Amino acid sequence: MLILLARAAGPARAGRVMGLMGVVLSAGPVLGPVVGGLLLAAFDWRWMFLLTVPAGLVAMLLAVLVLPADVPGGKEDGDRLDVFGLALLGPGVAALVLAMTQSAEHGSFGVWPVLVPLVSGVALLASYATRALCSRRVGGIPPLIDLRLFASVSFSASVGTMLLVGLATFAALFALPLYYEQAHGHGTLAAGMLLAPFGIGSTVAMPLA
C-alpha cells in the first residue's frame, strides 16, 4: 500500500503522503476501539466484520478512480505472478494464525484443533521456503518473497527491528482492552476511550516525523 502511494505521489510529494498515511494508520487505535466499543454495546459482534464490506468496496472504487493506472511491461518472468507460491504462503500463514487462536481457546498446544493447523502451516511454509530458494536456479517464476534477501545483514536487521516494533506497538492494542475489561470491569466503550491517547500521540507525531 505504501509503495503504491509513493509511486502515485512522486518523489516531490512522497514525504507528505507518507506523513498523511501515518495519520490514517495512527487514527486506527483512536477510532477503532471507540467505534468498536459503540458497536459491541449496541449490536451483535458480527457487525464488526459486516461493516468492513462497504468500507472495502468504497476503498476499491476510490482506488480505481484516483490512483493512476499501472501499465504492465513485457511478458517476462519478472512480470508474472507466482501463483503456486501464493497458494503455499497464504494458507500457510492462515493456518499458523488459526493454530495460535485455537491454542489460546483450548489453553494447550497438545490438542488436535491446534496440532492439525500448526503442522499444516509449518509444512506449507517449509514447502514455500524450499521452492523460493530453488526457483531461480531452475529457471522458474521469481518468488513472491525472495528469501535470499535475508542473507544481507542490514536487511535482516531492518526486518527484525520492524517485527519488534510491531509486537511492541500492536500487542498493546490487543492486551490493554482485555486488561481494562476483565481486570478493571470497564465496558467496551470505556476500554476504547482509554486507548484513544495512544493513537492521538501517534497521529500528532507521524506528520512531524
Side-chain angles (χ1 to χ4, degrees):
M1 177 179 58
L2 295 177
I3 293 173
L4 289 174
L5 287 173
R7 288 183 60 182
R13 297 186 298 170
R16 181 169 39 167
V17 169
M18 293 300 103
L20 292 174
M21 193 62 218
V23 172
V24 174
L25 294 174
S26 300
V30 180
L31 298 178
V34 174
V35 175
L38 288 171
L39 285 173
L40 292 177
F43 301 102
D44 186 71
W45 63 268
R46 293 172 180 83
W47 282 97
M48 295 287 293
F49 299 94
L50 294 175
L51 286 179
T52 64
V53 176
L57 293 175
V58 170
M60 289 177 61
L61 177 62
L62 291 174
V64 172
L65 295 177
V66 176
L67 290 178
D70 189 9
V71 180
K75 298 298 181 181
E76 301 176 359
D77 285 343
D79 297 325
R80 296 166 61 188
L81 177 65
D82 182 15
V83 178
F84 188 69
L86 183 64
L88 293 173
L89 191 61
V93 173
L96 289 183
V97 173
L98 177 61
M100 294 300 118
T101 56
Q102 289 295 317
S103 67
E105 182 176 340
H106 293 277
S108 172
F109 278 93
V111 294
W112 71 265
V114 179
L115 291 176
V116 171
L118 181 62
V119 172
S120 301
V122 170
L124 288 170
L125 293 181
S127 300
Y128 173 80
T130 302
R131 184 176 183 277
L133 291 172
C134 300
S135 60
R136 287 188 181 275
R137 286 200 293 267
V138 297
I141 300 171
L144 289 173
I145 301 173
D146 190 352
L147 298 180
R148 290 174 297 176
L149 291 171
F150 288 94
S152 169
V153 176
S154 59
F155 180 82
S156 299
S158 64
V159 172
T161 302
M162 290 177 62
L163 174 64
L164 294 176
V165 170
L167 288 173
T169 303
F170 295 105
L173 297 181
F174 292 95
L176 283 177
L178 296 176
Y179 172 73
Y180 290 139
E181 293 172 21
Q182 296 179 5
H184 289 273
H186 294 301
T188 53
L189 178 59
M193 295 294 289
L194 288 169
L195 284 179
F198 175 83
I200 293 174
S202 299
T203 302
V204 173
M206 277 289 186
L208 299 176

